[in-house]
């Protein structure tokens, strides 16, 4: 009996081909993201063979965006967002203006009308949530000052795009577009103009934020705490997903707020609960799976022939995204007094476009504000900029030692710059300790370990880059090297060559393996202790030379047996 299952076919083909090409890309030392995008091209309508359902794929991808933004909210409190408002709000607005003008200028050169140029420029001005967060998470930058600025900047961009999506239909009727989209019922009922629609949108967004802060702050944590006390992991996971998807959907339908922004606020409210870490862990698998579908759906929209048919406009579009926006962001961040490293990180984070750009392109086409060529250029610019984005972060890693050396040199010359500016120049000091213990990571496991070692009088140094942990370390009076433990210069500053012991308390086995290789190269005799979650991770770390590997399940079982029998088991 034949079955018509476009949803299943789309998920199976999208994830299956993305897995194969992602694994090949990883084998070739390329970002798996490149494989996901190519997978989308292969299952899209512009290449021969199987064609996935183009209506279902974007909706599946939207779920990934919702879950990803919910996860970001879990690690990004309202206090963090307000702490970067001084640079995120003006910086994002000025960068949007600059990118819009550059896009409009390119449109003018192609003889497009002004309305098309403005929509085209807006689409080029907003970065992809998924791409930016993936890049920050891979480098453990989300909890740092650089990460907070980048995410705050992105939230301001999203708010601006929410306003643009709401007022574009009203503008279309004034500047010559032909809207095929039903206007806002309230705006249509009362005959509101552009400013009326804008004011109504601001009221709706304010009402949603107020509802989340006043009611959501009490109701959402209460629900999860109640479910947690039932002892059912299945119900807890379902509650997390229901809250993330339900709040996002309700925000979009009732308040006109984007799905992504609604999910972000739900996560941000939940972050104040003690269950935020568990909620993040439970939503992680689905978050990753649907994020892959997002990239596949982007690839499905792309016609490779457009690169050959319009090479110069494509190159100009990519230049605006990866160079024009980046330069504007770099200049803005530097004008606000931040370091070159921070400015470079923000510039690289924003040197791509994504989901909001696609939504704007689709809406612009429906409103007759954007020609088909504009949509193709936006898609080509998105895919190429996403593929190029990892290269920008690699360039930052290459430039970082040089910029640090320049800033250290500038700091060493008091007469060359004012004292106030010297104070803003970060200088990493190498430790003078020898025969000490180096602890990488001061999270939940690392902080417990570190405080016990400190109490025992063990010579201790911690490597950490999360601001919250740095504050705790300062209060505890523990020496710290700020940075990523996988970097050779950070380990050198921690004097790994003369350390007695290295404890790796971070949960990422892949990054832990990189740290082990760097440490063994500098100090072959060092005693290394690491943590693992699975047997495969144990084998991986043991193969790299880790002497002691602690696995949670094994230690729990060992403690139970010791309690029952009175003797400690051998393994």
């Amino acid at each position: 009996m034949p079955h018509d299952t476009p949803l299943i076919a789309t998920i199976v083909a999208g994830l299956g081909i993305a897995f194969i090409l992602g694994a090949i890309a990883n084998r070739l030392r390329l970002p798996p993201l490149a494989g996901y995008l190519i997978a989308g091209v292969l299952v899209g309508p512009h290449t021969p063979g199987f064609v996935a359902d183009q209506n279902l794929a974007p909706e599946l991808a939207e779920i990934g965006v919702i879950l990803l933004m919910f996860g970001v909210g879990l690690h990004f409190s309202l206090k963090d967002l307000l702490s970067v408002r001084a640079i995120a709000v003006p910086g994002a607005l000025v960068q949007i203006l600059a990118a819009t003008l550059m896009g409009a200028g390119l449109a003018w050169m192609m003889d497009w009308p002004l309305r098309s140029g403005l929509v085209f420029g807006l689409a080029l001005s907003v970065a992809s949530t998924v791409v930016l967060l993936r890049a920050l998470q891979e480098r453990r930058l989300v909890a740092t000052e650089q990460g907070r600025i980048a995410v705050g900047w992105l939230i301001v961009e999203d708010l601006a795009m929410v306003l643009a999506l709401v007022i574009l239909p009203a503008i279309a009727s004034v500047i010559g577009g032909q809207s095929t989209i039903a206007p806002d019922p309230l705006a249509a009922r009362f005959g509101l103009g552009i400013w009326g629609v804008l004011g109504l949108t601001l009221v709706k967004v304010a009402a949603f934020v107020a509802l989340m802060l006043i009611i959501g702050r009490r109701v959402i944590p209460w629900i999860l705490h109640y479910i947690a006390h039932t002892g059912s992991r299945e119900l807890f996971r379902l509650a997390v997903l229901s809250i993330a998807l339900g709040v996002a959907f309700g925000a979009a339908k009732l308040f006109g707020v984007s799905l992504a922004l609604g999910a972000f606020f739900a996560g941000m409210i939940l972050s104040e609960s003690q269950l935020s870490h568990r909620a993040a862990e439970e939503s992680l698998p689905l978050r990753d799976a649907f994020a892959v579908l997002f990239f596949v759906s982007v690839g499905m929209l792309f016609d490779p022939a457009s690169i050959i048919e319009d090479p110069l406009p494509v190159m100009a579009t990519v230049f605006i995204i990866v160079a024009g926006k980046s330069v504007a962001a770099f200049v803005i961040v530097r004008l606000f007094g931040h370091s070159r490293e921070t400015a470079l990180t923000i510039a690289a984070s924003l040197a791509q476009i994504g989901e909001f750009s696609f939504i704007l392109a689709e809406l612009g086409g429906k409103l007759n504000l954007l020609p088909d060529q504009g949509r193709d250029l936006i898609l080509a610019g998105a895919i190429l900029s996403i593929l190029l984005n990892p290269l920008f972060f690699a360039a930052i890693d290459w430039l970082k030692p040089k910029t640090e050396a320049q800033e250290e040199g500038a700091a060493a010359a008091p007469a060359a710059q004012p004292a106030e500016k010297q104070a803003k120049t970060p200088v990493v000091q190498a430790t003078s300790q020898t025969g000490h213990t180096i602890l990488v990571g001061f999270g939940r496991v690392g902080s417990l370990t570190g405080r016990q070692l400190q109490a025992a009088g063990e010579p201790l140094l911690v490597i950490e880059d999360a601001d919250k942990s740095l504050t705790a370390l300062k209060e505890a009076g523990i020496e710290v090297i700020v940075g990523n433990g996988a970097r050779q210069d950070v380990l050198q500053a921690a004097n790994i060559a003369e350390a007695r012991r290295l404890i790796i308390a971070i949960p990422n086995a892949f990054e832990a393996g990189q740290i082990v290789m760097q440490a063994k190269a500098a100090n072959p005799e060092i005693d290394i202790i690491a943590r693992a979650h699975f047997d495969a991770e144990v084998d991986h770390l043991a193969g790299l030379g880790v002497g002691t590997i602690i696995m949670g399940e094994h230690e729990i079982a060992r403690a139970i047996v010791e309690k029952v029998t009175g003797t400690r088991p051998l393994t």
Side-chain angles (χ1 to χ4, degrees), residues 66 70 208 212 216 220 241-253 255 257-259 261-267:
I66 291 172
F70 178 71
F208 168 71
M212 292 300 295
I220 292 177
L241 296 176
S242 298
I243 289 172
L245 297 174
V247 172
F249 185 77
K253 290 298 181 182
F255 298 95
V257 177
S258 72
L259 293 167
L261 194 62
F264 172 81
F265 269 95

Side-chain angles (χ1 to χ4, degrees), residues 93-335:
L93 294 178
V94 172
Q95 183 245 295
I96 288 174
L97 177 61
T100 300
L101 292 177
M102 286 186 283
L106 176 59
W108 174 78
M109 295 174 64
M110 293 186 291
D111 295 324
W112 293 0
L114 179 61
R115 61 177 182 268
S116 299
L118 292 176
V119 175
F120 181 67
L122 273 176
L124 301 185
S125 69
V126 57
S128 166
T129 301
V130 178
V131 176
L132 184 146
L133 293 174
R134 275 291 180 88
L136 295 180
Q137 288 170 347
E138 287 177 358
R139 292 160 180 82
R140 299 179 66 218
L141 293 175
V142 174
T144 65
E145 180 191 20
Q146 302 166 14
R148 289 203 308 273
I149 293 174
V151 176
W153 195 301
L154 184 68
I155 296 302
V156 176
E157 285 189 349
D158 285 353
L159 284 170
M161 293 305 112
V162 169
L163 296 177
L165 292 173
V166 174
I167 66 175
L168 271 180
I171 295 177
S173 61
V174 177
I175 61 178
Q178 298 176 351
S179 176
T180 60
I181 301 175
D184 186 284
L186 290 176
R189 180 179 179 181
F190 295 103
L192 300 179
I194 295 176
W195 292 110
V197 171
L198 179 60
L200 179 61
T201 301
L202 291 174
V203 170
K204 286 184 174 182
V205 172
F208 168 71
V209 174
L211 180 67
M212 292 300 295
L213 293 179
I214 297 173
I215 299 178
R217 176 175 283 178
R218 295 175 174 82
V219 174
I220 292 177
W222 178 84
I223 292 175
L224 281 187
H225 278 275
Y226 173 80
I227 297 300
H229 284 119
T230 66
S232 172
R233 182 175 182 179
E234 179 182 346
L235 279 179
F236 185 85
R237 183 184 295 118
L238 184 60
V240 172
L241 296 176
S242 298
I243 289 172
L245 297 174
V247 172
F249 185 77
K253 290 298 181 182
L254 300 178
F255 298 95
V257 177
S258 72
L259 293 167
L261 194 62
F264 172 81
F265 269 95
M268 191 170 66
I269 294 301
L270 185 56
S271 68
E272 301 178 9
S273 167
Q274 295 179 349
L275 295 172
S276 60
H277 289 290
R278 184 178 171 189
E281 292 174 359
E282 296 295 343
S283 61
L284 182 60
L286 276 179
R287 220 158 62 213
D288 288 342
F290 281 102
V292 170
L293 286 177
F294 163 75
F295 293 112
V296 173
S297 70
V298 173
M300 288 173 58
L301 298 172
F302 179 58
D303 183 3
S306 63
I307 298 179
I308 301 175
E309 295 170 357
D310 295 311
L312 293 180
V314 169
M315 287 190 290
T317 301
V318 173
F319 180 82
I320 291 173
I321 297 170
V322 303
K325 284 174 57 179
S326 297
V327 171
F330 179 87
V331 172
I332 293 167
V333 175
R334 289 293 286 166
L335 287 176

Side-chain angles (χ1 to χ4, degrees), residues 4-23:
D4 184 20
T5 54
L7 175 61
I8 296 176
T10 299
I11 294 176
V12 171
L15 292 180
I17 299 177
F19 162 70
I20 295 172
L21 295 181

